[in-house]
Amino acid sequence: MFSVFFGAVEGEDSEVSFGEWRESRMASELFWVPVSTPSYWQVEMSDITIGNKFQNLCKRQCQVAVDTGTSLMAGPTEIVNEIITRLNVSSECENYDSLPDVGFVVGEHVLNLKPADYVDRGDDGCSVALMTMDVPPPKGPLFIFGDPFLRKYYTVYDRQNLKVGFALARHPGGPTTENQTSLIDLRESHRRVAVSQHGGTLRR
């Protein structure tokens, strides 16, 4: 077993821990997802969300490879192009402050990225930082989660039990377990909806 933490701010060191994971690096609870392809740290992804709304782009056929050696994020051409179309990011950055979260549904959780995580913003304007890459079945359609994702999420790799753990990474000045909104537990959301439908009081 080993765990990976990517520093996200100046002066913050990255870290690889062997034989353990560190709760001090996490701003949420850790959850586990089984590896779908034993030759790689690859898990199933059932859909993509924009503004926490399901987009029905994967139809439960997507795969995600968590890659600590890749500096980018990539995905199938057809899906990436559709995400870019639906986000409609202004090349002049005019709508940057109103852009929604983009989430990846893994297991029973939505792993959200903020605009700062998925948009390249520079002197020459704004663009979505998702490259196109086509991997055919059975290993694809495949997304690659590289550095931008790994700065946002702390990951744990369990070789013996073939599973990957995810938690929101804790950075200085960033969200804590109590106030984070990026990592959404769908089971908790379903419970809240059920309570609301029955006229009860929502509880955290």
Side-chain angles (χ1 to χ4, degrees), residues 30-41:
L30 188 72
F31 74 94
W32 295 94
V33 181
V35 169
S36 57
T37 301
S39 61
Y40 206 41
W41 293 110

Side-chain angles (χ1 to χ4, degrees), residues 140-182:
L142 181 67
F143 280 79
I144 301 290
F145 283 177
D147 290 3
F149 177 87
L150 293 168
R151 285 192 292 269
K152 187 81 173 184
Y153 290 97
Y154 184 71
T155 48
V156 184
Y157 306 84
D158 187 337
R159 181 67 181 86
Q160 182 175 353
N161 297 300
L162 289 178
K163 59 183 181 179
V164 180
F166 297 90
L168 189 67
R170 183 185 294 272
H171 297 290
T176 65
T177 306
E178 291 74 25
N179 67 13
Q180 72 87 16
T181 59
S182 292

Side-chain angles (χ1 to χ4, degrees), residues 39-53:
S39 61
Y40 206 41
W41 293 110
Q42 185 170 318
V43 299
E44 294 181 354
M45 179 171 72
S46 59
D47 200 4
I48 292 163
T49 63
I50 295 178
N52 290 322
K53 295 180 180 179

Side-chain angles (χ1 to χ4, degrees), residues 13 17 28 31 34 43 53 59-60 81 86 91 114 124 130 147 152 156 159-160 182 187 195 202:
D13 293 332
S17 301
S28 72
F31 74 94
V43 299
K53 295 180 180 179
K59 299 176 176 62
R60 296 191 173 273
N81 287 343
R86 297 184 188 188
S91 60
K114 303 293 183 182
D124 56 346
L130 268 174
D147 290 3
K152 187 81 173 184
V156 184
R159 181 67 181 86
Q160 182 175 353
S182 292
R187 297 167 301 179
V195 171
L202 297 180

Side-chain angles (χ1 to χ4, degrees), residues 6-27:
F6 271 53
V9 298
E10 186 176 353
E12 184 179 28
D13 293 332
S14 299
E15 175 184 88
V16 179
S17 301
F18 294 95
E20 64 175 359
W21 68 83
R22 298 183 58 189
E23 291 189 5
S24 62
R25 293 298 195 185
M26 302 187 301

Side-chain angles (χ1 to χ4, degrees), residues 2-157:
F2 65 97
S3 56
V4 176
F5 174 85
F6 271 53
V9 298
E10 186 176 353
E12 184 179 28
D13 293 332
S14 299
E15 175 184 88
V16 179
S17 301
F18 294 95
E20 64 175 359
W21 68 83
R22 298 183 58 189
E23 291 189 5
S24 62
R25 293 298 195 185
M26 302 187 301
S28 72
E29 292 184 2
L30 188 72
F31 74 94
W32 295 94
V33 181
V35 169
S36 57
T37 301
S39 61
Y40 206 41
W41 293 110
Q42 185 170 318
V43 299
E44 294 181 354
M45 179 171 72
S46 59
D47 200 4
I48 292 163
T49 63
I50 295 178
N52 290 322
K53 295 180 180 179
F54 290 87
Q55 301 298 303
N56 195 31
L57 291 174
C58 278
K59 299 176 176 62
R60 296 191 173 273
Q61 294 180 344
C62 289
Q63 302 279 322
V64 173
V66 187
D67 192 345
T68 59
T70 299
S71 61
L72 303 168
M73 294 185 65
T77 298
E78 182 179 357
I79 298 177
V80 168
N81 287 343
E82 186 61 30
I83 293 172
I84 292 172
T85 297
R86 297 184 188 188
L87 287 172
N88 192 29
V89 176
S90 168
S91 60
E92 302 298 324
C93 304
E94 294 171 345
N95 62 346
Y96 179 84
D97 291 334
S98 61
L99 290 172
D101 291 355
V102 173
F104 304 92
V105 184
V106 176
E108 295 291 336
H109 293 75
V110 180
L111 299 157
N112 271 312
L113 297 180
K114 303 293 183 182
D117 304 314
Y118 69 79
V119 174
D120 279 333
R121 188 183 189 186
D123 295 337
D124 56 346
C126 287
S127 61
V128 178
L130 268 174
M131 294 185 62
T132 57
M133 181 192 69
D134 294 302
V135 177
K139 290 190 175 182
L142 181 67
F143 280 79
I144 301 290
F145 283 177
D147 290 3
F149 177 87
L150 293 168
R151 285 192 292 269
K152 187 81 173 184
Y153 290 97
Y154 184 71
T155 48
V156 184
Y157 306 84

